Amino acid sequence: MTTSTTTPSATSTNTPSGTPAHGTEVPRPSEEARRRAARLAGFGYVLLFVLAMFANFAVFERLVVAGDATATAANLAAEPTMFRLAIVAFLAVFLIDIV
């Protein structure tokens, strides 16, 4: 019974600890870049919250009548712009959530 052991090749760019070989360091973002990213993420979450609240509670709560498709269709026909704005808001929430 023979077992073979493999060793990292000499051309490997990473050491076993996961740090780059040859004493190079991975560049880290500056403090300002991290603050800017945090502000952008915070703004995205606030925008996500506002858009979702608008679409769910300002529009769909008014337009959709649970258990009555005819009344819902009449409400949607009466206010198509609000319905479209809610759909756009939901799409924006989806995209913000992905990013």
Side-chain angles (χ1 to χ4, degrees), residues 25-94:
E25 289 188 25
V26 176
R28 297 201 175 247
S30 68
E31 182 70 24
E32 180 60 31
R34 289 188 298 175
R35 286 178 189 251
R36 191 176 7 200
R39 280 191 213 108
L40 182 63
F43 177 74
Y45 278 120
V46 169
L47 187 61
L48 186 142
F49 174 77
V50 169
L51 289 172
M53 295 296 285
F54 166 75
N56 276 318
F57 300 112
V59 178
F60 283 128
E61 286 287 320
R62 275 191 7 224
L63 297 180
V64 177
V65 180
D68 191 355
T70 305
T72 299
N75 289 342
L76 293 176
E79 296 193 54
T81 303
M82 290 301 287
F83 178 70
R84 288 185 184 117
L85 285 174
I87 295 298
V88 169
F90 274 132
L91 288 174
V93 166
F94 176 71

